Amino acid sequence: MKATSNRPLLKVSLLIGGIVVAFVLASFFPEIVLSLIISALVAFVLKPFVKFLEFRMGMRRILAILIVFLVSGAGLFGVGYYGGSLLIETIRTMAENFKTFPFEQKLDEAAQQIASSVGVSATFISDKVRGGIEWVKTVAGGAGESLLEFMVTLAIVPFITFFILAEGDVALKKLIQRIPNKYFEMTLNVLNRIQIGLIGYMRGWILDSIIIGILSMIGYKLIGVEYAILIGAVAGVANLVPYLGPVVGAVPAFLVSLTQYGDFRLVLPIVIVTFTIQMIDNIIVQPLCFAKTVDLHPVTVIILLLLGNTLLGVAGMLVIIPIFTILKTSAIETYWGLRNYQITA
């Protein structure tokens, strides 16, 4: 009689190899992959509310989804309308004040004051400050473009999310029906673990942005920048794209400080606040948020984010942790299932 074998390591290696190949092929279409992942995460968040209306309230699934969408959309619209109106009015006020601000004159005066204090050429200081401002403009421009691309990607998320909520369970059931009986229980466990990991990532992502927004509000309030709460909120929303929040928040803080005090007295404090928040985010907040929610070591999170940025830029930073979560969970749970369920070849 021919002996049967399990060979869990070989099977896990083949599974992970197939997933990696699929992700490599998908990397040629990062916007599509990003939209699908975000849509799946949003669907995971909204699904409990849909199920409550469907099973507890006896509503049809489509009606339950529409109600959840309407309530969520109304809440987002209300926040966006109020926040957007306040933001537009603030920008309009800043623009009017900035038109009459003697930028070059104030810069030269500040350079002279610093030069007399530290014994350095005023021209040297002025050139360095102008160079720094140009760098900030470049970074802000790149951040704005990345944020705009991200917003365009988000525009199709509601449509994909709707179809995932409406048809996702049906498609999943059809997929599971095709799985051989000996792999059935193990597959359900793997899918459940992946779902828990992705929901954890979503929570960590949102929590990170909220913390950065609050830190920005506190930091700008402490150094005396007007509209600190609004600027902090902008930084928090921008931080949904990793690393952009503090930088995006620094630009309006700098412009507000110029029109508020009429000089460059808050430039250095703003730089310090921005750098400090960025370091806190990179070293403490972001690793801990994701480490707790997706069970990853903080150093692993940092390495993954750097790898994602190298491979796909901003899109890579957004999808690298969910992808790694899927790979890690699939490998660990599949290996555990093959060993404990005594599945033979």
Side-chain angles (χ1 to χ4, degrees):
M1 179 181 293
K2 185 177 180 179
T4 58
S5 60
N6 189 355
R7 299 173 294 177
L9 285 177
L10 176 60
K11 292 180 179 179
V12 170
S13 299
L14 292 174
L15 172 64
I16 298 304
I19 296 176
V20 170
V21 170
F23 280 130
V24 169
L25 295 176
S27 67
F28 291 101
F29 312 96
E31 291 80 11
I32 296 176
V33 175
L34 182 59
S35 300
L36 290 173
I37 290 179
I38 294 177
S39 299
L41 294 175
V42 174
F44 285 145
V45 173
L46 298 182
K47 191 174 181 179
F49 301 102
V50 174
K51 282 191 171 183
F52 175 81
L53 293 178
E54 182 182 8
F55 296 108
R56 294 292 183 89
M57 306 299 292
M59 295 183 182
R60 298 188 58 170
R61 188 173 186 83
I62 295 298
L63 179 59
I65 295 173
L66 289 174
I67 290 176
V68 170
F69 263 55
L70 287 174
V71 173
S72 303
L76 290 174
F77 177 79
V79 173
Y81 179 79
Y82 175 77
S85 300
L86 182 59
L87 180 62
I88 292 173
E89 183 61 31
T90 303
I91 292 175
R92 183 182 295 114
T93 302
M94 287 172 50
E96 291 296 326
N97 294 336
F98 205 70
K99 286 179 181 179
T100 59
F101 181 76
F103 183 83
E104 294 294 333
Q105 176 188 340
K106 293 296 182 180
L107 177 58
D108 291 336
E109 291 176 359
Q112 290 287 350
Q113 292 176 359
I114 296 174
S116 61
S117 300
V118 299
V120 182
S121 169
T123 303
F124 173 80
I125 295 175
S126 180
D127 291 342
K128 289 298 182 181
V129 172
R130 286 186 173 89
I133 292 172
E134 290 301 321
W135 177 81
V136 170
K137 288 181 180 178
T138 302
V139 173
E145 291 179 3
S146 299
L147 191 59
L148 181 60
E149 293 174 0
F150 181 59
M151 296 304 291
V152 171
T153 300
L154 288 181
I156 64 173
V157 166
F159 301 99
I160 302 176
T161 302
F162 180 87
F163 287 108
I164 291 176
L165 289 172
E167 305 292 339
D169 289 344
V170 176
L172 184 61
K173 287 179 182 178
K174 290 183 179 179
L175 175 64
I176 293 176
Q177 287 175 355
R178 297 179 179 275
I179 296 174
N181 289 334
K182 62 181 179 180
Y183 296 113
F184 183 80
E185 188 173 353
M186 181 188 70
T187 302
L188 288 181
N189 181 59
V190 171
L191 293 175
N192 180 61
R193 293 292 183 179
I194 289 176
Q195 177 174 316
I196 292 173
L198 292 179
I199 293 176
Y201 169 72
M202 185 75 172
R203 290 171 179 168
W205 187 29
I206 295 174
L207 180 61
D208 177 50
S209 295
I210 292 174
I211 292 174
I212 294 307
I214 293 174
L215 288 177
S216 299
M217 294 176 189
I218 294 173
Y220 294 132
K221 190 70 174 178
L222 288 176
I223 63 176
V225 178
E226 286 185 340
Y227 311 114
I229 294 178
L230 180 60
I231 295 173
V234 171
V237 173
N239 204 64
L240 290 173
V241 180
Y243 297 105
L244 290 187
V247 177
V248 171
V251 176
F254 171 69
L255 296 177
V256 167
S257 71
L258 291 182
T259 59
Q260 180 181 353
Y261 294 101
D263 53 35
F264 294 87
R265 72 180 68 179
L266 287 187
V267 172
L268 182 58
I270 289 172
V271 171
I272 293 174
V273 167
T274 302
F275 180 79
T276 302
I277 294 175
Q278 189 75 69
M279 290 300 99
I280 292 174
D281 185 30
N282 296 347
I283 299 174
I284 301 175
V285 178
Q286 199 169 97
L288 288 180
C289 281
F290 293 129
K292 294 298 183 182
T293 56
V294 297
D295 192 24
L296 292 177
H297 193 277
V299 176
T300 304
V301 174
I302 294 174
I303 294 174
L304 287 174
L305 291 172
L306 293 175
L307 178 62
N309 181 60
T310 301
L311 295 176
L312 293 173
V314 173
M317 294 169 69
L318 290 172
V319 302
I320 190 68
I321 294 180
I323 289 174
F324 185 81
T325 299
I326 293 173
L327 290 173
K328 175 189 173 185
T329 304
S330 299
I332 293 176
E333 297 302 328
T334 300
Y335 182 81
W336 185 91
L338 291 172
R339 291 292 300 272
N340 289 273
Y341 294 137
Q342 298 296 315
I343 300 173
T344 57

